[in-house]
Amino acid sequence: MHKTNFVTTPFGRRSMTLAMLANQYEAKSIEPGKSIDKWKLFRALCEARIVYGISDRALAVLNALLSFYPENALSQENGLVIFPSNAQLSLRAHGIAPATLRRHLAALVGAGLLIRKDSPNGKRYARRDRKGEIDEAFGFSVAALIARADEIFAHATRIAADRDRLRITKERLSICRRDIAKLIDIALEEQAPGDWLMVQSTFRTITRTIPRTPHIGDLNAVLEELEMLRDEVLIRLERRLETQKQSAKESQTERHIQNTNLKNIFESEPDTGQNSVQVLMRDLADDERPPFEPLSNPHLRSRDASRSAQPEHGRLTASPAAPASRSAPLKSFPLGLVIQACPDVVSYGSGGKVENWRDLMTAAIVIRSMLAISPSVYQEACDVMGPQNAATVMACMLQRAEHIKSAGGYLRNLTRRAHRGEFAIGPMLMALARSRGLPERHAG
């Protein structure tokens, strides 16, 4: 059995380094009887070559070198030193040039995968005893490969797992993109209610952020955004289906209620045709409550609920009342009022402008990222409040960002209150408008 506790220096002008010395000391710690299949180890090294910074040509040289090892299992019992000449190595490496061969051998040594054991004259050879067994050999020692085998296998396993995760994420991303594109096409063909052009623009904006050579972290972030958008599209289409089913039920039961006196059941609000911001500020003042606080007056909650239950523009509906367990929808406010109360949001719109609800909802997505609010929390707010109201709340939060310690927790709390019917947007806008000196009432 050959001694493994040697320290050898390179022949000629090649210098010795501390890294080479460390590799030789590490090779001394081979467990007794440890044996590694050389080709399994080689395939694992091919998988993990990026970790060790070696090229495919260097791996081809290592493959040729391992082919000279007499056994399939690398072990101390089978010897540690391989001693082919450069001419023999060049032939097995498919005729690689001598200078290129020497460069890649040096790269393998520098990566700590091989150890040079040079002879006094720098030649590679073996000296045999009288029984014909190798007594001493000079060439390249595979002791480092045996000592680092567990490390190489671990790197190969991790890289293979990362590659599988990247492949699965790409598949999920492709399916999600296909789903959103086709669902938007359905919505446009069926003329479903909603600003689907804005949804389509948001979809294209998200997909443009995918890099050409994506990392798993980049794809996960984009996938999360797209899945949130797909959920929003599905929710809107589900509402469309529920509306169609409800309309079908109403048409089937219309002859049973056509003689019912509905005169006093619904009262429609007259349309004054006034949409000015000052008139809306007067309405907010009538419902004034402490800013950024939940509704505490049950009378006000019942009044808001009765307002939301009234049909718009005098249109009568025969749809059944909402279940008592569900809160009434939040009251929405015109875009002009939101912009006057929250002017900072304009800077986050496309091109520094917010001209419509689509621009505001696009700006809200940017604000969500800036305030470090997770997509799931914002999606829940959209589900409970509605996309426009959620965007309005984001604009209000931006205006008061310096007073909010945890934006994600704050939005989650507002969402819970809105779900219980204990939150209204009016007081938030009223407080912000008052802080900016906007008029609260409009005479006449």
Side-chain angles (χ1 to χ4, degrees):
M1 185 180 298
H2 305 296
K3 296 181 179 180
T4 58
N5 57 341
F6 59 87
V7 172
T8 179
T9 56
F11 170 78
R13 291 179 295 177
R14 289 191 295 266
S15 60
M16 182 69 175
T17 65
L18 285 177
M20 294 169 62
L21 184 61
N23 290 334
Q24 294 181 30
Y25 274 108
E26 185 178 3
K28 293 168 53 178
S29 61
I30 300 176
E31 299 176 4
K34 186 174 184 179
S35 177
I36 303 295
D37 186 295
K38 65 180 181 181
W39 298 124
K40 288 183 179 180
L41 181 60
F42 176 75
R43 286 190 292 270
L45 187 58
C46 291
E47 190 77 66
R49 69 181 182 88
I50 296 179
V51 176
Y52 297 97
I54 54 177
S55 64
D56 53 349
R57 298 295 298 277
L59 288 173
V61 173
L62 180 61
N63 179 78
L65 190 63
L66 289 176
S67 68
F68 284 97
Y69 195 82
E71 305 292 338
N72 282 334
L74 301 177
S75 66
Q76 288 183 339
E77 287 74 13
N78 296 328
L80 296 175
V81 179
I82 311 174
F83 44 89
S85 65
N86 282 353
Q88 291 173 318
L89 268 178
S90 178
L91 289 176
R92 293 203 183 181
H94 308 289
I96 189 171
T100 306
L101 178 67
R102 288 192 295 271
R103 184 171 70 251
H104 291 308
L105 285 172
L108 292 170
V109 172
L113 301 174
L114 294 176
I115 297 175
R116 289 183 184 272
K117 186 182 178 183
D118 287 344
S119 65
N121 60 2
K123 302 294 182 180
R124 298 181 204 131
Y125 60 88
R127 185 171 58 246
R128 299 179 183 272
D129 57 16
R130 294 181 178 181
K131 297 180 181 180
E133 295 181 358
I134 297 177
D135 181 57
E136 189 74 26
F138 299 96
F140 293 99
S141 172
V142 296
L145 281 176
I146 300 175
R148 305 181 69 177
D150 295 339
E151 170 195 323
I152 294 171
F153 283 124
H155 284 308
T157 301
R158 178 184 57 80
I159 291 175
D162 290 344
R163 185 176 61 250
D164 290 340
R165 283 197 296 268
L166 181 63
R167 175 180 55 81
I168 294 172
T169 303
K170 285 182 177 180
E171 291 175 354
R172 291 177 57 192
L173 186 64
S174 298
I175 293 174
C176 191
R177 292 178 64 180
R178 181 187 67 196
D179 291 345
I180 295 175
K182 291 186 179 295
L183 290 173
I184 291 176
D185 290 341
I186 293 174
L188 293 174
E189 291 176 3
E190 297 293 332
Q191 296 182 348
D195 193 350
W196 292 103
L197 294 179
M198 183 276 294
V199 176
Q200 194 173 51
S201 176
T202 302
F203 172 56
R204 292 172 178 170
T205 301
I206 296 174
T207 54
R208 280 198 294 266
T209 62
I210 302 176
R212 290 186 177 180
T213 55
H215 187 267
I216 183 67
D218 301 329
L219 291 185
N220 281 333
V222 175
L223 179 61
E224 187 177 6
E225 296 282 351
L226 288 178
E227 287 180 340
M228 184 181 71
L229 182 61
R230 180 177 60 183
D231 292 342
E232 175 64 24
V233 171
L234 287 173
I235 290 172
R236 295 189 183 187
L237 291 179
E238 287 174 3
R239 291 173 182 169
R240 173 67 171 175
L241 292 175
E242 291 176 359
T243 302
Q244 291 179 345
K245 291 179 181 179
Q246 187 64 40
S247 300
K249 291 180 180 179
E250 291 174 359
S251 64
Q252 292 174 0
T253 60
E254 185 176 4
R255 64 176 180 271
H256 300 294
I257 65 173
Q258 60 185 356
N259 294 326
T260 304
N261 184 8
L262 302 177
K263 180 176 181 180
N264 296 323
I265 296 179
F266 298 101
E267 294 181 0
S268 59
E269 291 186 11
D271 187 3
T272 62
Q274 301 180 17
N275 292 322
S276 68
V277 173
Q278 293 179 342
V279 173
L280 290 166
M281 295 299 297
R282 177 193 63 197
D283 294 339
L284 288 177
D286 292 338
D287 279 342
E288 181 176 354
R289 285 177 289 274
F292 293 88
E293 292 293 333
L295 295 175
S296 57
N297 191 333
H299 173 67
L300 295 178
R301 289 202 298 270
S302 62
R303 183 175 63 181
D304 289 344
S306 63
R307 285 182 180 178
S308 62
Q310 292 179 357
E312 298 179 358
H313 306 300
R315 182 175 62 192
L316 298 181
T317 62
S319 59
S325 61
R326 296 186 62 183
S327 61
L330 284 179
K331 180 179 179 181
S332 300
F333 297 90
L335 181 63
L337 174 60
V338 177
I339 299 303
Q340 287 208 17
C342 311
D344 292 351
V345 74
V346 176
S347 302
Y348 295 86
S350 179
K353 297 182 296 183
V354 175
E355 299 178 342
N356 47 51
W357 283 107
R358 177 179 61 187
D359 293 342
L360 182 63
M361 286 187 277
T362 302
I365 295 176
V366 179
I367 296 170
R368 175 196 67 74
S369 301
M370 186 197 70
L371 296 180
I373 298 175
S374 67
S376 59
V377 172
Y378 183 63
Q379 174 63 36
E380 184 180 1
C382 291
D383 294 341
V384 175
M385 304 179 187
Q388 292 184 355
N389 287 331
T392 301
V393 170
M394 294 300 297
C396 294
M397 291 177 61
L398 173 68
Q399 201 68 29
R400 288 178 55 88
E402 67 275 8
H403 302 291
I404 300 174
K405 294 182 178 179
S406 174
Y410 187 83
L411 180 60
R412 189 182 294 108
N413 186 34
L414 294 185
T415 303
R416 293 196 193 102
R417 294 179 179 179
H419 184 70
R420 297 193 301 263
E422 300 175 353
F423 169 69
I425 300 178
M428 299 177 71
L429 292 175
M430 190 68 190
L432 292 172
R434 187 186 299 113
S435 66
R436 298 192 63 248
L438 295 178
E440 298 184 9
R441 297 182 180 271
H442 175 65

